[in-house]
Structures are given as C-alpha cells and as structure tokens.
Amino acid sequence: MPPLSPPCSDAARGRGDPMAGTAAPARAWFLIEHPGPWPADAFGGSGLSVPVQRRLQQAAADAGARILLVRRPGRRAHRSRRSWAVVHGLGSARPQAQVWGDWQAEGDLLDAVPALAGARDPRDGPPAARGLPLLLVCAHGRHDVCCAVRGRPVAAALQERWPEQTWECSHVGGCRFAGNVVVLPDGAYYGGLGGDDTVEVVGDHLAGRVRGEYLRGVSHEPPVAQAAIAELHRQGRAEGELFRSRRVEQVAASVWRVVLERAADDGSAGPVEVELEQQAAPEARLTCRAPRDATARTFVVRRVRPAP
C-alpha cells in the first residue's frame, strides 16, 4: 500500500511554494450567510433553486463579483433570517461600499441584484460592522480539509479581536496556502497564517502596514502585478498602503515589466518598475482533493528600480 500523501498545506510549506501572484480575480464580492454544512460546490449545493442560482450568478458575473457563502465562526444557533452583503472592491468601477440585506426565503436574495449593479438600497439596516473592513477566512473543509484544519483556528483568533468583522467563508482558492484570509474591500489575500502571527498580520494591514511575506496578492490586479506588489512590500520599499499597477507589459516570451504607484500619491515616492520572469513550478499535488500532480505558475523578480 503506497504511503499517504501529506496534507497539501503541509507539503506546500515544506516545498516553500511561493504565494505571490495567487489571489483569485474579483472586483466585487457577494456574500451569503449560510450556516452549512457546505458541500464541495458550496453555492451549487446551497439548496437555492436553479433559477435563483442562475439569476444571481449572472448578476455576479456582470459585476465581476465572486460569490461566497459565509458564517460566523464557532457553533451558533441557526437564525431564520440571515444576512447578505455586496462589497465593491478597490478594483471596481462602482463606489467602494458595502450594501447589506437580510434573507429568509430564497427570493429575498434577488434584492442583491441591483446592489451588484451598483445601486444602493436605503432600506438596508446596517449591521454593527457596516463600513468597516471585513475579514473572510476560508474554512471550507469539504472543498479541502486544510481549509478547515488551518482556517478555523485563524477565524477564531480574528473573531476574538474583531468579532463583528470576521466571517468564515467558502472556497477562495489556493487551498495549499491555508490559513487564507481575504480583507475587504481591499481584496488583499493573505496566506500561510496561523498561530501568533494571525492577529498581528491582519492588524498591521488594518493599520496600513502590509506584510509582504504573507501577501498572496490583490484580487483586482493581474497575477504578475500581484507578485510585483508583494515583492515591494517584502523588501520594505512600500511602507503603508498597497501599491497599484500603472502599467503591465510583456517584454519577452516569459518576461513582464510592471510599473507600480501608490493609490494616493503624496509625493514621497515615485513609481517603481519591477521586472519579473514567469516560470512553471515542478509538478506537485496542489490540493488535498487533486487526483494527480499539476504545475503552478510562479514569478521570479529579476529587477526593481525607479520607473524611468
């Protein structure tokens, strides 16, 4: 009998898999409170009828939004009325705002369709955390066991510090980087969290200090720009808020040049140019559920300099 493979997150940490450039693309998020249990396909197995699912999926696709099921960490009594939220991120053309609503019957979720299109609903009663950043922790164990094993302790630690802002969520991508945290509306993905570093890394982000060694990327940026942004923060060149891309260009078959600038340029630092080479990592088992080994895209930074 062949030996059992180690959990994907253990194997990835042992290999030193690079996280930079691995945030899943999204310009907005549609969050649906749902206590679970969540099947591997969380939204598809949510119990919502096919017509409602299709309507919501189309509205989300039109907005560039990712649909996630969310729940509060820990065991709680199920509520008959639950929350939904639409969060337009920093990469969205819509105002960066949270729109909240309640749902009991599945038809109530259709109230989110105009919110996904950018309309505000003044009837929405704001929860305690409205307007504050949201902290989503992937704890989708039926999608990948590592998300539950590593994600739930992360969610518990964050909930103790930020109880109204913290939610467990369904699959966000990159199971091998569990514990994974997404900070909204920034769309910043952090991976490899757990233990004492969890509250410190998230607290630094909320205070405007980005920890590049844990940063997987920013969801509204292309992967190569995500990797460049993470590199600047890892080198300590980018104190304060996240950088954004001004220009992304491919200059050779596998070489990219990214010009980055601060979202709010105060004149203290000019744009920075990062040159990166895209490579293919050796084949490996990238998720616990994967039937076979696969390769992942990685980026190697070749040069960082002030933009000409």
Side-chain angles (χ1 to χ4, degrees), residues 168-184:
E168 291 182 354
C169 71
S170 55
H171 178 59
V172 300
C175 306
R176 69 190 188 279
F177 301 125
N180 286 304
V181 174
V182 184
V183 183
L184 301 184

Side-chain angles (χ1 to χ4, degrees), residues 131-157:
L132 296 174
L134 300 180
L135 311 176
L136 308 182
V137 184
C138 184
H140 194 171
R142 294 207 180 168
H143 193 279
D144 194 292
V145 67
C146 287
C147 297
V149 171
R150 292 189 180 272
R152 287 175 182 164
V154 167

Side-chain angles (χ1 to χ4, degrees), residues 66-276:
R66 187 179 184 98
I67 301 176
L68 294 176
L69 302 190
V70 299
R71 63 192 174 205
R72 292 299 191 182
R75 296 184 180 275
R76 294 178 178 233
H78 292 179
R79 301 187 302 150
S80 60
R81 294 197 67 84
R82 306 163 187 163
S83 297
W84 60 261
V86 171
V87 183
H88 292 286
L90 299 184
S92 172
R94 307 295 181 186
Q96 287 137 37
Q98 300 174 23
V99 182
W100 290 81
D102 292 328
W103 73 284
Q104 186 170 24
E106 65 173 21
D108 298 337
L109 289 171
L110 298 178
D111 291 342
V113 171
L116 284 162
R120 301 294 300 272
D121 186 347
R123 296 175 303 157
D124 289 341
R130 182 174 178 177
L132 296 174
L134 300 180
L135 311 176
L136 308 182
V137 184
C138 184
H140 194 171
R142 294 207 180 168
H143 193 279
D144 194 292
V145 67
C146 287
C147 297
V149 171
R150 292 189 180 272
R152 287 175 182 164
V154 167
L158 295 182
Q159 184 194 39
E160 185 175 351
R161 176 65 179 82
W162 297 283
E164 296 298 333
Q165 296 167 250
T166 302
W167 299 83
E168 291 182 354
C169 71
S170 55
H171 178 59
V172 300
C175 306
R176 69 190 188 279
F177 301 125
N180 286 304
V181 174
V182 184
V183 183
L184 301 184
D186 296 4
Y189 274 55
Y190 288 93
L193 294 177
D196 296 339
D197 57 11
T198 297
V199 171
E200 182 180 343
V201 171
V202 173
D204 279 350
H205 182 96
L206 297 178
R209 298 183 298 272
V210 178
R211 298 281 294 276
E213 67 270 31
Y214 294 94
L215 183 65
R216 290 181 52 193
V218 191
S219 63
H220 59 272
E221 295 282 3
V224 66
Q226 296 180 25
I229 291 167
E231 178 65 17
L232 288 191
H233 287 285
R234 196 161 44 239
Q235 291 186 9
R237 292 171 176 255
E239 296 181 2
E241 65 180 296
L242 287 163
F243 268 63
R244 67 182 180 189
S245 62
R246 175 191 290 182
R247 186 171 69 252
V248 178
E249 56 184 354
Q250 188 171 6
V251 296
S254 59
V255 178
W256 295 79
R257 209 169 280 151
V258 181
V259 175
L260 301 173
E261 63 184 1
R262 290 191 186 277
D265 188 1
D266 59 4
S268 61
V272 179
E273 180 184 277
V274 183
E275 186 174 282
L276 309 94

